[in-house]
Amino acid sequence: MDLRHLRYFVAVAEERHFGRAAERLHMAQPPLSQQIRQLEAELGVELLRRTTRRVDLTEAGRAYLERARAILADVDEAAHHARLVATGSVGHLAIGCVGSATYSLLPALSRRLTEELPGVDFSFRGEMLAPDQVEALRTGAIDVALLRPPAAGLSLTAHTLRRDRLVVAVPSDHPLARRKRLRAADLAGADLIVHSADRRSVMYDVVLGLLREAGVEPHIRHEVGETSTLVTLVAGGLGVAVVPEPVTSLTLDGVIYLPLAGADARVELAVAHRADRAEPHLARTVGIIRAMFRDTRPRRKAAPATAETSPATSGD
């Protein structure tokens, strides 16, 4: 017995007529009758009572019809679900975000993903330092990370999304707040609030490297694990902090953000996942995230098109 026998039986039971059932199944009537008899012989019970005008179900036939419909429905549902899985339309994904991406990107990202992949169950973890994200990728606590490279300790597939400028968060009553922009050298002697060195923060290394390259010996007053806490301490007048530009979307009274001059005053944001992960819904999610950044890159003003020139686009 196979699924074909069940479909044949259901068709006859619903039509109560071999001729109409054969038309519905796009087959000749004699083979259909033969298949139903083979089914009854295999089961050892009579499922149908045949008369010259119609076909009736026996008690065993009515019971068998109910279960046959359920089996066929389950088979169809399984096939449908398999197609959804194969196209990346269903599943579960946990996404981790660094602090700046939590404020500037996560609201739009969550809306875009749920709109384009409504069958995927997404969860989000914000305010994660890159090393914490790498460990969470390793253990499976998250599936996708929005992090600041480099990310060591695990084989990852990563795509750079943008290079964010660095700015300085300054208390509004700080002497540096009167400046229009700052250089790294201007932070000499200033109390600094930085991301945690103990947790191997990428931003910690970036900021200290930037300052030391400018000949500034850092005067670190506070180390924190969350970007929101960092900016809150700046608002409290406890020091200044160098942060990626998207952090400026986190507005607090008592804090102003000043541009940090210098061609190298940038830090990358990347989307990453474990290199051994290749599920379709993960690939589609990463593709959507990458497309979001391509869609939002600012366009350069194009020169008039000539035989030698054509419009070009670029971004961070």
Side-chain angles (χ1 to χ4, degrees), residues 96-98 128-130 133-134 137 145-151 156 158 268-272:
C97 301
V98 293
M128 296 185 72
L129 297 179
Q133 289 180 287
V134 171
L137 288 171
L146 292 166
L147 49 72
R148 302 287 181 189
L156 299 178
E268 290 184 350
L269 178 68
V271 57

Side-chain angles (χ1 to χ4, degrees), residues 122-159:
F122 289 103
S123 60
F124 300 90
R125 292 180 58 185
E127 290 278 13
M128 296 185 72
L129 297 179
D132 297 331
Q133 289 180 287
V134 171
E135 176 61 15
L137 288 171
R138 186 188 68 80
T139 63
I142 64 173
D143 307 290
V144 178
L146 292 166
L147 49 72
R148 302 287 181 189
L154 188 66
S155 179
L156 299 178
T157 297
H159 304 278

Side-chain angles (χ1 to χ4, degrees), residues 77-131:
E77 175 60 25
H80 177 65
H81 184 73
R83 286 190 289 269
L84 292 177
V85 170
T87 59
S89 301
V90 296
H92 171 79
L93 281 179
I95 299 176
C97 301
V98 293
S100 57
T102 302
Y103 323 123
S104 65
L105 175 63
L106 190 53
L109 174 63
S110 60
R111 284 194 296 269
R112 178 95 170 241
L113 290 176
T114 53
E115 287 173 0
E116 296 200 25
L117 295 175
V120 177
D121 178 24
F122 289 103
S123 60
F124 300 90
R125 292 180 58 185
E127 290 278 13
M128 296 185 72
L129 297 179

Side-chain angles (χ1 to χ4, degrees), residues 4-5 21 102 106 137 139 161 167 180 193 279 295 301:
R4 179 187 55 181
H5 289 103
T102 302
L106 190 53
L137 288 171
T139 63
L161 299 174
V167 300
K180 290 186 177 181
I193 305 169
E279 299 93 322
D295 293 345
K301 188 174 181 180

Side-chain angles (χ1 to χ4, degrees), residues 27-253:
M27 63 185 299
Q29 181 175 334
L32 175 60
S33 299
Q34 182 180 12
Q35 293 292 328
I36 297 299
R37 291 192 182 280
Q38 288 178 358
L39 174 62
E40 290 176 317
E42 184 172 346
L43 294 175
V45 297
E46 184 183 35
L47 300 175
L48 302 169
R49 291 195 185 95
R50 301 151 177 84
T51 67
T52 55
R53 293 189 176 183
R54 58 176 290 152
V55 176
D56 290 321
L57 289 167
T58 63
E59 286 298 321
R62 277 190 285 271
Y64 195 72
L65 176 61
E66 181 179 349
R67 298 298 296 272
R69 282 171 169 163
I71 291 170
L72 292 174
D74 286 345
V75 170
D76 290 343
E77 175 60 25
H80 177 65
H81 184 73
R83 286 190 289 269
L84 292 177
V85 170
T87 59
S89 301
V90 296
H92 171 79
L93 281 179
I95 299 176
C97 301
V98 293
S100 57
T102 302
Y103 323 123
S104 65
L105 175 63
L106 190 53
L109 174 63
S110 60
R111 284 194 296 269
R112 178 95 170 241
L113 290 176
T114 53
E115 287 173 0
E116 296 200 25
L117 295 175
V120 177
D121 178 24
F122 289 103
S123 60
F124 300 90
R125 292 180 58 185
E127 290 278 13
M128 296 185 72
L129 297 179
D132 297 331
Q133 289 180 287
V134 171
E135 176 61 15
L137 288 171
R138 186 188 68 80
T139 63
I142 64 173
D143 307 290
V144 178
L146 292 166
L147 49 72
R148 302 287 181 189
L154 188 66
S155 179
L156 299 178
T157 297
H159 304 278
T160 299
L161 299 174
R162 68 187 183 198
R163 298 181 68 240
D164 292 323
R165 296 181 179 90
L166 294 179
V167 300
V168 185
V170 180
S172 56
D173 58 356
H174 194 282
L176 292 175
R178 293 190 289 270
R179 308 279 287 272
K180 290 186 177 181
R181 66 174 51 238
L182 297 172
R183 297 170 298 124
D186 296 326
L187 302 182
D191 290 336
L192 294 175
I193 305 169
V194 298
H195 289 87
S196 174
D198 292 341
R199 294 168 65 185
R200 308 182 310 282
S201 165
V202 171
M203 279 301 300
Y204 178 91
D205 293 335
V206 168
V207 172
L208 265 65
L210 187 69
L211 294 176
R212 286 171 176 160
E213 187 176 339
V216 174
E217 185 60 32
H219 181 238
I220 298 173
R221 183 169 180 182
H222 295 283
E223 294 184 17
V224 300
E226 296 79 28
T227 303
S228 58
T229 302
L230 183 149
V231 177
T232 299
L233 294 183
V234 173
L238 299 181
V240 303
V242 179
V243 295
E245 188 175 32
V247 174
T248 60
S249 61
L250 185 60
T251 57
L252 289 177
D253 291 338

